Amino acid sequence: EAGVAQSPRYKIIEKRQSVAFWCNPISGHATLYWYQQILGQGPKLLIQFQNNGVVDDSQLPKDRFSAERLKGVDSTLKIQPAKLEDSAVYLCASSYLSGSTDTQYFGPGTRLTVL
Amino acid sequence: AQKVTQAQTEISVVEKEDVTLDCVYETRDTTYYLFWYKQPPSGELVFLIRRNSFDEQNEISGRYSWNFQKSTSSFNFTITASQVVDSAVYFCALSEARGQNFVFGPGTRLSVLP
């Protein structure tokens, strides 16, 4: 069974530029999550989708971050414009059942550096 | 608000020693789920265990064991006879039963020296 796929693996941009990350969850998984992991810290949930609807986006900085999960499968996370403090690893995860009580399977992450 | 505390930032042990990683959580929910994940140097988070709040039985899986104590809001993780491959950052996490508000702790970096 294929795992969670993410691309790109690395991205370097200058502040005020835009960037987008892509995630393809494990086939059949209803729930998809985006996390931000700043160096030395635990992952912080940005947004949680159940199928193509948003369950929780309370920690998403909506003035610059946006995410969508069209057709309830893959998802895109966008940052526009990027700030220096957005430098982090962005992790995507998926789970079979609805809700975060189910085991989450993580992708390899996208390491973003904002200069 | 939910919170997970892992007071040990870094731990170093010599191979074959036993090591316990502490996890203390806060929640107002009576039903919740606790998790442990491992993040090796490669960076990909690996699921280790999930436990719901009604199941206080300790669990053992090979060299790994978990001690869940509701009375002290703790969910500690012990590695017996540690190996160099156990070197990683370990995260404890908490989720409400409604399936929202998933919170990770800050992690404990374990270094197992040969």
Side-chain angles (χ1 to χ4, degrees):
Chain A
E1 181 181 78
V4 176
Q6 289 188 249
S7 68
R9 291 296 310 278
Y10 304 92
K11 190 75 177 177
I12 300 174
I13 62 172
E14 295 191 351
K15 61 183 179 183
R16 292 188 287 272
Q17 285 188 324
S18 302
V19 65
F21 313 127
W22 175 82
C23 172
N24 191 12
I26 293 173
S27 178
H29 279 198
T31 308
L32 185 147
Y33 315 77
W34 282 103
Y35 291 87
Q36 180 193 59
Q37 186 176 20
I38 292 172
L39 187 64
Q41 298 182 18
K44 182 182 82 171
L45 180 66
L46 293 176
I47 189 167
Q48 177 181 340
F49 291 96
Q50 181 177 315
N51 297 310
N52 60 349
V54 176
V55 172
D56 183 1
D57 64 356
S58 57
Q59 297 193 89
L60 186 74
K62 298 179 185 63
D63 58 334
R64 298 184 300 107
F65 286 64
S66 64
E68 59 183 11
R69 190 184 184 196
L70 299 176
K71 301 180 182 178
V73 182
D74 55 357
S75 175
T76 302
L77 176 70
K78 296 179 181 176
I79 307 175
Q80 180 179 14
K83 293 185 176 181
L84 296 177
E85 57 261 37
D86 298 331
S87 293
V89 176
Y90 290 85
L91 297 166
C92 180
S94 68
S95 62
Y96 178 68
L97 298 175
S98 300
S100 60
T101 58
D102 193 22
T103 299
Q104 297 179 37
Y105 296 90
F106 284 80
T110 296
R111 183 176 298 277
L112 173 67
T113 302
V114 182
L115 303 176
Chain B
Q2 305 200 128
K3 184 179 178 182
V4 175
T5 301
Q6 294 179 257
Q8 304 148 309
T9 305
E10 294 190 36
I11 301 176
S12 287
V13 298
V14 177
E15 205 171 17
K16 298 183 184 175
E17 285 185 0
D18 298 347
V19 58
T20 295
L21 309 182
D22 298 334
C23 172
V24 174
Y25 61 91
E26 295 176 30
T27 179
R28 285 180 287 187
D29 291 346
T30 55
T31 303
Y32 49 89
Y33 289 77
L34 295 162
F35 301 78
W36 276 95
Y37 281 86
K38 174 182 180 181
Q39 190 171 42
S42 61
E44 198 158 333
L45 280 155
V46 177
F47 166 77
L48 295 178
I49 190 171
R50 178 180 72 148
R51 175 56 51 87
N52 74 54
S53 53
F54 293 109
D55 183 2
E56 287 195 70
Q57 280 193 349
N58 291 332
E59 181 156 340
I60 298 175
S61 176
R63 297 184 297 107
Y64 295 169
S65 62
W66 290 269
N67 183 295
F68 176 30
Q69 293 199 345
K70 231 172 167 178
S71 59
T72 56
S73 297
S74 65
F75 186 43
N76 297 337
F77 172 33
T78 298
I79 302 174
T80 303
S82 59
Q83 299 176 1
V84 173
V85 293
D86 296 327
S87 297
V89 181
Y90 291 86
F91 293 98
C92 182
L94 168 67
S95 176
E96 294 177 341
R98 290 179 294 130
Q100 293 178 284
N101 293 335
F102 194 87
V103 176
F104 276 90
T108 297
R109 180 178 297 278
L110 174 65
S111 297
V112 182
L113 308 174

